[in-house]
PDB file of all heavy atoms in Angstrom:
ATOM      1  N   ARG A   5       3.665   3.898  -0.572  1.00  0.00           N
ATOM      2  CA  ARG A   5       3.840   4.602  -1.739  1.00  0.00           C
ATOM      3  C   ARG A   5       5.171   4.589  -2.297  1.00  0.00           C
ATOM      4  O   ARG A   5       5.479   4.468  -3.493  1.00  0.00           O
ATOM      5  CB  ARG A   5       3.388   6.075  -1.591  1.00  0.00           C
ATOM      6  CG  ARG A   5       1.965   6.266  -1.485  1.00  0.00           C
ATOM      7  CD  ARG A   5       1.342   6.513  -2.804  1.00  0.00           C
ATOM      8  NE  ARG A   5      -0.079   6.782  -2.571  1.00  0.00           N
ATOM      9  CZ  ARG A   5      -1.057   6.302  -3.433  1.00  0.00           C
ATOM     10  NH1 ARG A   5      -0.680   5.508  -4.327  1.00  0.00           N
ATOM     11  NH2 ARG A   5      -2.269   6.467  -3.203  1.00  0.00           N
ATOM     12  N   ASN A   6       6.207   4.641  -1.355  1.00  0.00           N
ATOM     13  CA  ASN A   6       7.587   4.689  -1.759  1.00  0.00           C
ATOM     14  C   ASN A   6       8.235   3.409  -1.986  1.00  0.00           C
ATOM     15  O   ASN A   6       9.175   3.299  -2.601  1.00  0.00           O
ATOM     16  CB  ASN A   6       8.424   5.445  -0.698  1.00  0.00           C
ATOM     17  CG  ASN A   6       8.021   6.912  -0.678  1.00  0.00           C
ATOM     18  OD1 ASN A   6       7.950   7.528  -1.648  1.00  0.00           O
ATOM     19  ND2 ASN A   6       7.751   7.452   0.510  1.00  0.00           N
ATOM     20  N   CYS A   7       7.604   2.309  -1.478  1.00  0.00           N
ATOM     21  CA  CYS A   7       8.146   0.823  -1.755  1.00  0.00           C
ATOM     22  C   CYS A   7       7.856   0.525  -3.072  1.00  0.00           C
ATOM     23  O   CYS A   7       8.421  -0.528  -3.674  1.00  0.00           O
ATOM     24  CB  CYS A   7       7.767  -0.094  -0.639  1.00  0.00           C
ATOM     25  SG  CYS A   7       6.029  -0.658  -0.784  1.00  0.00           S
ATOM     26  N   GLY A   8       6.793   0.986  -3.769  1.00  0.00           N
ATOM     27  CA  GLY A   8       6.443   0.705  -5.062  1.00  0.00           C
ATOM     28  C   GLY A   8       6.245  -0.637  -5.483  1.00  0.00           C
ATOM     29  O   GLY A   8       5.044  -1.224  -5.344  1.00  0.00           O
ATOM     30  N   PHE A   9       7.253  -1.325  -5.972  1.00  0.00           N
ATOM     31  CA  PHE A   9       7.132  -2.673  -6.480  1.00  0.00           C
ATOM     32  C   PHE A   9       6.464  -3.727  -5.485  1.00  0.00           C
ATOM     33  O   PHE A   9       5.799  -4.576  -5.897  1.00  0.00           O
ATOM     34  CB  PHE A   9       8.457  -3.133  -6.899  1.00  0.00           C
ATOM     35  CG  PHE A   9       8.489  -4.458  -7.683  1.00  0.00           C
ATOM     36  CD1 PHE A   9       7.812  -4.444  -8.842  1.00  0.00           C
ATOM     37  CD2 PHE A   9       9.072  -5.595  -7.129  1.00  0.00           C
ATOM     38  CE1 PHE A   9       7.834  -5.724  -9.609  1.00  0.00           C
ATOM     39  CE2 PHE A   9       8.947  -6.728  -7.944  1.00  0.00           C
ATOM     40  CZ  PHE A   9       8.403  -6.839  -9.100  1.00  0.00           C
ATOM     41  N   ALA A  10       6.757  -3.497  -4.207  1.00  0.00           N
ATOM     42  CA  ALA A  10       6.196  -4.510  -3.131  1.00  0.00           C
ATOM     43  C   ALA A  10       4.767  -4.437  -3.230  1.00  0.00           C
ATOM     44  O   ALA A  10       4.045  -5.452  -2.989  1.00  0.00           O
ATOM     45  CB  ALA A  10       6.672  -4.077  -1.874  1.00  0.00           C
ATOM     46  N   LEU A  11       4.056  -3.267  -3.597  1.00  0.00           N
ATOM     47  CA  LEU A  11       2.585  -3.325  -3.712  1.00  0.00           C
ATOM     48  C   LEU A  11       2.018  -4.161  -4.798  1.00  0.00           C
ATOM     49  O   LEU A  11       0.912  -4.555  -4.732  1.00  0.00           O
ATOM     50  CB  LEU A  11       2.101  -1.814  -3.780  1.00  0.00           C
ATOM     51  CG  LEU A  11       2.182  -0.972  -2.566  1.00  0.00           C
ATOM     52  CD1 LEU A  11       1.567   0.426  -2.860  1.00  0.00           C
ATOM     53  CD2 LEU A  11       1.292  -1.501  -1.445  1.00  0.00           C
ATOM     54  N   VAL A  12       2.857  -4.384  -5.749  1.00  0.00           N
ATOM     55  CA  VAL A  12       2.303  -5.163  -6.915  1.00  0.00           C
ATOM     56  C   VAL A  12       2.146  -6.576  -6.368  1.00  0.00           C
ATOM     57  O   VAL A  12       1.110  -7.161  -6.889  1.00  0.00           O
ATOM     58  CB  VAL A  12       3.404  -5.259  -8.007  1.00  0.00           C
ATOM     59  CG1 VAL A  12       3.139  -6.183  -9.175  1.00  0.00           C
ATOM     60  CG2 VAL A  12       3.630  -3.785  -8.581  1.00  0.00           C
ATOM     61  N   PHE A  13       2.804  -7.050  -5.410  1.00  0.00           N
ATOM     62  CA  PHE A  13       2.585  -8.320  -4.910  1.00  0.00           C
ATOM     63  C   PHE A  13       1.201  -8.265  -3.973  1.00  0.00           C
ATOM     64  O   PHE A  13       0.822  -9.388  -3.771  1.00  0.00           O
ATOM     65  CB  PHE A  13       3.706  -8.775  -4.012  1.00  0.00           C
ATOM     66  CG  PHE A  13       5.009  -9.095  -4.901  1.00  0.00           C
ATOM     67  CD1 PHE A  13       6.089  -8.183  -4.787  1.00  0.00           C
ATOM     68  CD2 PHE A  13       5.005 -10.248  -5.710  1.00  0.00           C
ATOM     69  CE1 PHE A  13       7.180  -8.459  -5.506  1.00  0.00           C
ATOM     70  CE2 PHE A  13       6.146 -10.375  -6.390  1.00  0.00           C
ATOM     71  CZ  PHE A  13       7.261  -9.546  -6.445  1.00  0.00           C
ATOM     72  N   GLU A  14       0.837  -7.169  -3.633  1.00  0.00           N
ATOM     73  CA  GLU A  14      -0.421  -7.098  -2.943  1.00  0.00           C
ATOM     74  C   GLU A  14      -1.652  -6.932  -3.838  1.00  0.00           C
ATOM     75  O   GLU A  14      -2.696  -6.809  -3.500  1.00  0.00           O
ATOM     76  CB  GLU A  14      -0.294  -5.917  -1.978  1.00  0.00           C
ATOM     77  CG  GLU A  14       0.701  -5.881  -0.942  1.00  0.00           C
ATOM     78  CD  GLU A  14       0.156  -6.509   0.413  1.00  0.00           C
ATOM     79  OE1 GLU A  14      -1.058  -6.474   0.563  1.00  0.00           O
ATOM     80  OE2 GLU A  14       1.000  -6.780   1.193  1.00  0.00           O
ATOM     81  N   GLY A  15      -1.276  -6.877  -5.074  1.00  0.00           N
ATOM     82  CA  GLY A  15      -2.359  -6.724  -6.140  1.00  0.00           C
ATOM     83  C   GLY A  15      -2.738  -5.228  -6.396  1.00  0.00           C
ATOM     84  O   GLY A  15      -3.874  -4.948  -6.831  1.00  0.00           O
ATOM     85  N   LEU A  16      -1.870  -4.338  -6.042  1.00  0.00           N
ATOM     86  CA  LEU A  16      -2.049  -2.906  -6.093  1.00  0.00           C
ATOM     87  C   LEU A  16      -1.107  -2.243  -7.020  1.00  0.00           C
ATOM     88  O   LEU A  16       0.100  -2.603  -7.087  1.00  0.00           O
ATOM     89  CB  LEU A  16      -2.122  -2.268  -4.800  1.00  0.00           C
ATOM     90  CG  LEU A  16      -3.096  -2.750  -3.740  1.00  0.00           C
ATOM     91  CD1 LEU A  16      -2.845  -2.116  -2.407  1.00  0.00           C
ATOM     92  CD2 LEU A  16      -4.469  -2.421  -4.221  1.00  0.00           C
ATOM     93  N   ASN A  17      -1.510  -1.184  -7.692  1.00  0.00           N
ATOM     94  CA  ASN A  17      -0.553  -0.415  -8.589  1.00  0.00           C
ATOM     95  C   ASN A  17      -0.293   0.910  -7.706  1.00  0.00           C
ATOM     96  O   ASN A  17      -1.242   1.676  -7.397  1.00  0.00           O
ATOM     97  CB  ASN A  17      -1.222  -0.012  -9.895  1.00  0.00           C
ATOM     98  CG  ASN A  17      -0.325   0.882 -10.747  1.00  0.00           C
ATOM     99  OD1 ASN A  17       0.600   1.523 -10.213  1.00  0.00           O
ATOM    100  ND2 ASN A  17      -0.585   0.854 -11.999  1.00  0.00           N
ATOM    101  N   PRO A  18       0.972   1.015  -7.293  1.00  0.00           N
ATOM    102  CA  PRO A  18       1.295   2.167  -6.358  1.00  0.00           C
ATOM    103  C   PRO A  18       1.057   3.570  -7.062  1.00  0.00           C
ATOM    104  O   PRO A  18       0.928   4.587  -6.377  1.00  0.00           O
ATOM    105  CB  PRO A  18       2.716   1.888  -6.094  1.00  0.00           C
ATOM    106  CG  PRO A  18       3.196   0.946  -7.220  1.00  0.00           C
ATOM    107  CD  PRO A  18       2.168   0.252  -7.600  1.00  0.00           C
ATOM    108  N   LEU A  19       1.051   3.572  -8.376  1.00  0.00           N
ATOM    109  CA  LEU A  19       0.787   4.812  -9.037  1.00  0.00           C
ATOM    110  C   LEU A  19      -0.655   5.290  -9.187  1.00  0.00           C
ATOM    111  O   LEU A  19      -0.994   6.422  -9.322  1.00  0.00           O
ATOM    112  CB  LEU A  19       1.481   4.783 -10.394  1.00  0.00           C
ATOM    113  CG  LEU A  19       3.017   4.483 -10.448  1.00  0.00           C
ATOM    114  CD1 LEU A  19       3.411   4.296 -11.829  1.00  0.00           C
ATOM    115  CD2 LEU A  19       3.761   5.537  -9.581  1.00  0.00           C
ATOM    116  N   THR A  20      -1.566   4.299  -9.176  1.00  0.00           N
ATOM    117  CA  THR A  20      -2.863   4.533  -9.413  1.00  0.00           C
ATOM    118  C   THR A  20      -3.874   4.285  -8.203  1.00  0.00           C
ATOM    119  O   THR A  20      -5.012   4.701  -8.208  1.00  0.00           O
ATOM    120  CB  THR A  20      -3.428   3.720 -10.724  1.00  0.00           C
ATOM    121  OG1 THR A  20      -3.338   2.440 -10.452  1.00  0.00           O
ATOM    122  CG2 THR A  20      -2.718   4.097 -11.875  1.00  0.00           C
ATOM    123  N   THR A  21      -3.365   3.572  -7.253  1.00  0.00           N
ATOM    124  CA  THR A  21      -4.152   3.145  -6.015  1.00  0.00           C
ATOM    125  C   THR A  21      -4.485   4.457  -5.155  1.00  0.00           C
ATOM    126  O   THR A  21      -3.567   5.284  -4.917  1.00  0.00           O
ATOM    127  CB  THR A  21      -3.383   2.124  -5.222  1.00  0.00           C
ATOM    128  OG1 THR A  21      -3.115   1.105  -5.979  1.00  0.00           O
ATOM    129  CG2 THR A  21      -4.163   1.714  -4.030  1.00  0.00           C
ATOM    130  N   THR A  22      -5.628   4.597  -4.734  1.00  0.00           N
ATOM    131  CA  THR A  22      -6.033   5.742  -3.945  1.00  0.00           C
ATOM    132  C   THR A  22      -5.580   5.443  -2.457  1.00  0.00           C
ATOM    133  O   THR A  22      -5.422   4.284  -2.167  1.00  0.00           O
ATOM    134  CB  THR A  22      -7.694   5.890  -3.931  1.00  0.00           C
ATOM    135  OG1 THR A  22      -8.195   4.762  -3.335  1.00  0.00           O
ATOM    136  CG2 THR A  22      -8.157   6.009  -5.346  1.00  0.00           C
ATOM    137  N   ASP A  23      -5.505   6.558  -1.742  1.00  0.00           N
ATOM    138  CA  ASP A  23      -5.156   6.400  -0.407  1.00  0.00           C
ATOM    139  C   ASP A  23      -6.197   5.619   0.375  1.00  0.00           C
ATOM    140  O   ASP A  23      -5.814   4.795   1.276  1.00  0.00           O
ATOM    141  CB  ASP A  23      -5.136   7.768   0.303  1.00  0.00           C
ATOM    142  CG  ASP A  23      -3.802   8.491  -0.201  1.00  0.00           C
ATOM    143  OD1 ASP A  23      -2.790   7.932  -0.670  1.00  0.00           O
ATOM    144  OD2 ASP A  23      -3.628   9.680   0.195  1.00  0.00           O
ATOM    145  N   ASP A  24      -7.488   5.765   0.093  1.00  0.00           N
ATOM    146  CA  ASP A  24      -8.542   4.983   0.739  1.00  0.00           C
ATOM    147  C   ASP A  24      -8.349   3.422   0.547  1.00  0.00           C
ATOM    148  O   ASP A  24      -8.424   2.678   1.374  1.00  0.00           O
ATOM    149  CB  ASP A  24      -9.911   5.329   0.283  1.00  0.00           C
ATOM    150  CG  ASP A  24     -10.319   6.784   0.752  1.00  0.00           C
ATOM    151  OD1 ASP A  24      -9.776   7.130   1.771  1.00  0.00           O
ATOM    152  OD2 ASP A  24     -11.129   7.372  -0.004  1.00  0.00           O
ATOM    153  N   ARG A  25      -7.961   3.122  -0.734  1.00  0.00           N
ATOM    154  CA  ARG A  25      -7.696   1.570  -0.993  1.00  0.00           C
ATOM    155  C   ARG A  25      -6.434   1.203  -0.236  1.00  0.00           C
ATOM    156  O   ARG A  25      -6.504   0.017   0.256  1.00  0.00           O
ATOM    157  CB  ARG A  25      -7.506   1.547  -2.489  1.00  0.00           C
ATOM    158  CG  ARG A  25      -7.193   0.050  -2.911  1.00  0.00           C
ATOM    159  CD  ARG A  25      -8.405  -0.812  -2.748  1.00  0.00           C
ATOM    160  NE  ARG A  25      -8.092  -2.147  -3.263  1.00  0.00           N
ATOM    161  CZ  ARG A  25      -7.974  -3.208  -2.469  1.00  0.00           C
ATOM    162  NH1 ARG A  25      -8.198  -3.134  -1.276  1.00  0.00           N
ATOM    163  NH2 ARG A  25      -7.641  -4.349  -2.905  1.00  0.00           N
ATOM    164  N   LEU A  26      -5.437   2.049  -0.184  1.00  0.00           N
ATOM    165  CA  LEU A  26      -4.280   1.596   0.595  1.00  0.00           C
ATOM    166  C   LEU A  26      -4.488   1.580   2.141  1.00  0.00           C
ATOM    167  O   LEU A  26      -4.051   0.609   2.805  1.00  0.00           O
ATOM    168  CB  LEU A  26      -3.126   2.681   0.472  1.00  0.00           C
ATOM    169  CG  LEU A  26      -2.160   2.536  -0.663  1.00  0.00           C
ATOM    170  CD1 LEU A  26      -1.283   3.720  -0.862  1.00  0.00           C
ATOM    171  CD2 LEU A  26      -1.467   1.202  -0.700  1.00  0.00           C
ATOM    172  N   ARG A  27      -5.444   2.435   2.644  1.00  0.00           N
ATOM    173  CA  ARG A  27      -5.738   2.387   4.015  1.00  0.00           C
ATOM    174  C   ARG A  27      -6.523   1.087   4.305  1.00  0.00           C
ATOM    175  O   ARG A  27      -6.229   0.418   5.324  1.00  0.00           O
ATOM    176  CB  ARG A  27      -6.667   3.574   4.379  1.00  0.00           C
ATOM    177  CG  ARG A  27      -6.027   4.809   4.649  1.00  0.00           C
ATOM    178  CD  ARG A  27      -6.935   5.782   5.177  1.00  0.00           C
ATOM    179  NE  ARG A  27      -6.338   7.092   5.068  1.00  0.00           N
ATOM    180  CZ  ARG A  27      -6.419   7.986   4.052  1.00  0.00           C
ATOM    181  NH1 ARG A  27      -7.123   7.737   3.100  1.00  0.00           N
ATOM    182  NH2 ARG A  27      -5.843   9.141   4.065  1.00  0.00           N
ATOM    183  N   ALA A  28      -7.343   0.641   3.414  1.00  0.00           N
ATOM    184  CA  ALA A  28      -8.074  -0.716   3.499  1.00  0.00           C
ATOM    185  C   ALA A  28      -7.089  -1.825   3.527  1.00  0.00           C
ATOM    186  O   ALA A  28      -7.283  -2.765   4.346  1.00  0.00           O
ATOM    187  CB  ALA A  28      -9.164  -0.741   2.517  1.00  0.00           C
ATOM    188  N   GLN A  29      -6.100  -1.812   2.604  1.00  0.00           N
ATOM    189  CA  GLN A  29      -5.233  -2.794   2.458  1.00  0.00           C
ATOM    190  C   GLN A  29      -4.240  -2.973   3.657  1.00  0.00           C
ATOM    191  O   GLN A  29      -3.890  -4.101   4.076  1.00  0.00           O
ATOM    192  CB  GLN A  29      -4.381  -2.513   1.222  1.00  0.00           C
ATOM    193  CG  GLN A  29      -3.486  -3.743   0.791  1.00  0.00           C
ATOM    194  CD  GLN A  29      -4.256  -4.963   0.027  1.00  0.00           C
ATOM    195  OE1 GLN A  29      -5.389  -4.706  -0.331  1.00  0.00           O
ATOM    196  NE2 GLN A  29      -3.628  -5.970  -0.143  1.00  0.00           N
ATOM    197  N   LEU A  30      -3.848  -1.795   4.250  1.00  0.00           N
ATOM    198  CA  LEU A  30      -2.866  -1.770   5.345  1.00  0.00           C
ATOM    199  C   LEU A  30      -3.497  -1.840   6.634  1.00  0.00           C
ATOM    200  O   LEU A  30      -2.878  -1.999   7.726  1.00  0.00           O
ATOM    201  CB  LEU A  30      -2.168  -0.529   5.242  1.00  0.00           C
ATOM    202  CG  LEU A  30      -1.219  -0.376   4.031  1.00  0.00           C
ATOM    203  CD1 LEU A  30      -0.611   0.973   3.831  1.00  0.00           C
ATOM    204  CD2 LEU A  30      -0.319  -1.464   3.857  1.00  0.00           C
ATOM    205  N   ALA A  31      -4.844  -1.844   6.813  1.00  0.00           N
ATOM    206  CA  ALA A  31      -5.521  -1.986   8.101  1.00  0.00           C
ATOM    207  C   ALA A  31      -5.005  -3.158   8.956  1.00  0.00           C
ATOM    208  O   ALA A  31      -4.976  -4.208   8.381  1.00  0.00           O
ATOM    209  CB  ALA A  31      -7.042  -1.992   7.860  1.00  0.00           C
ATOM    210  N   GLY A  32      -4.779  -2.802  10.140  1.00  0.00           N
ATOM    211  CA  GLY A  32      -4.397  -3.787  11.039  1.00  0.00           C
ATOM    212  C   GLY A  32      -3.016  -4.236  11.057  1.00  0.00           C
ATOM    213  O   GLY A  32      -2.498  -5.048  11.901  1.00  0.00           O
ATOM    214  N   ARG A  33      -2.179  -3.734  10.209  1.00  0.00           N
ATOM    215  CA  ARG A  33      -0.671  -3.991  10.039  1.00  0.00           C
ATOM    216  C   ARG A  33       0.081  -3.161  11.039  1.00  0.00           C
ATOM    217  O   ARG A  33      -0.259  -1.968  11.086  1.00  0.00           O
ATOM    218  CB  ARG A  33      -0.240  -3.849   8.625  1.00  0.00           C
ATOM    219  CG  ARG A  33      -0.867  -4.805   7.748  1.00  0.00           C
ATOM    220  CD  ARG A  33      -0.123  -4.775   6.469  1.00  0.00           C
ATOM    221  NE  ARG A  33      -0.894  -5.560   5.484  1.00  0.00           N
ATOM    222  CZ  ARG A  33      -0.540  -5.772   4.292  1.00  0.00           C
ATOM    223  NH1 ARG A  33       0.691  -5.400   3.845  1.00  0.00           N
ATOM    224  NH2 ARG A  33      -1.322  -6.583   3.482  1.00  0.00           N
ATOM    225  N   PRO A  34       0.997  -3.678  11.704  1.00  0.00           N
ATOM    226  CA  PRO A  34       1.733  -2.812  12.635  1.00  0.00           C
ATOM    227  C   PRO A  34       2.674  -1.883  11.933  1.00  0.00           C
ATOM    228  O   PRO A  34       3.184  -2.114  10.919  1.00  0.00           O
ATOM    229  CB  PRO A  34       2.426  -3.901  13.537  1.00  0.00           C
ATOM    230  CG  PRO A  34       2.604  -5.108  12.597  1.00  0.00           C
ATOM    231  CD  PRO A  34       1.408  -5.128  11.750  1.00  0.00           C
ATOM    232  N   VAL A  35       2.872  -0.646  12.582  1.00  0.00           N
ATOM    233  CA  VAL A  35       3.765   0.253  12.117  1.00  0.00           C
ATOM    234  C   VAL A  35       4.794   0.452  13.278  1.00  0.00           C
ATOM    235  O   VAL A  35       4.305   0.667  14.519  1.00  0.00           O
ATOM    236  CB  VAL A  35       3.152   1.579  11.715  1.00  0.00           C
ATOM    237  CG1 VAL A  35       4.149   2.667  11.392  1.00  0.00           C
ATOM    238  CG2 VAL A  35       2.115   1.395  10.606  1.00  0.00           C
ATOM    239  N   VAL A  36       6.098   0.310  13.104  1.00  0.00           N
ATOM    240  CA  VAL A  36       7.108   0.466  14.130  1.00  0.00           C
ATOM    241  C   VAL A  36       8.001   1.442  13.770  1.00  0.00           C
ATOM    242  O   VAL A  36       8.489   1.636  12.632  1.00  0.00           O
ATOM    243  CB  VAL A  36       7.912  -0.800  14.163  1.00  0.00           C
ATOM    244  CG1 VAL A  36       8.900  -0.846  15.265  1.00  0.00           C
ATOM    245  CG2 VAL A  36       6.938  -2.095  14.409  1.00  0.00           C
ATOM    246  N   ARG A  37       8.292   2.331  14.715  1.00  0.00           N
ATOM    247  CA  ARG A  37       9.337   3.427  14.533  1.00  0.00           C
ATOM    248  C   ARG A  37      10.613   2.913  15.167  1.00  0.00           C
ATOM    249  O   ARG A  37      10.681   2.401  16.329  1.00  0.00           O
ATOM    250  CB  ARG A  37       8.959   4.676  15.258  1.00  0.00           C
ATOM    251  CG  ARG A  37       9.956   5.738  15.191  1.00  0.00           C
ATOM    252  CD  ARG A  37       9.608   7.050  15.970  1.00  0.00           C
ATOM    253  NE  ARG A  37       8.293   7.367  15.604  1.00  0.00           N
ATOM    254  CZ  ARG A  37       7.832   8.543  15.830  1.00  0.00           C
ATOM    255  NH1 ARG A  37       8.519   9.537  16.466  1.00  0.00           N
ATOM    256  NH2 ARG A  37       6.618   9.045  15.362  1.00  0.00           N
TER     257      ARG A  37
END
């Protein structure tokens, strides 16, 4: 949500995309702290 413009390259609008759609798009991607 906070990277905004990067989601456009994924074919998503960060302002209108639902959390469910984002979850589906991000599924399987690693998250590192």
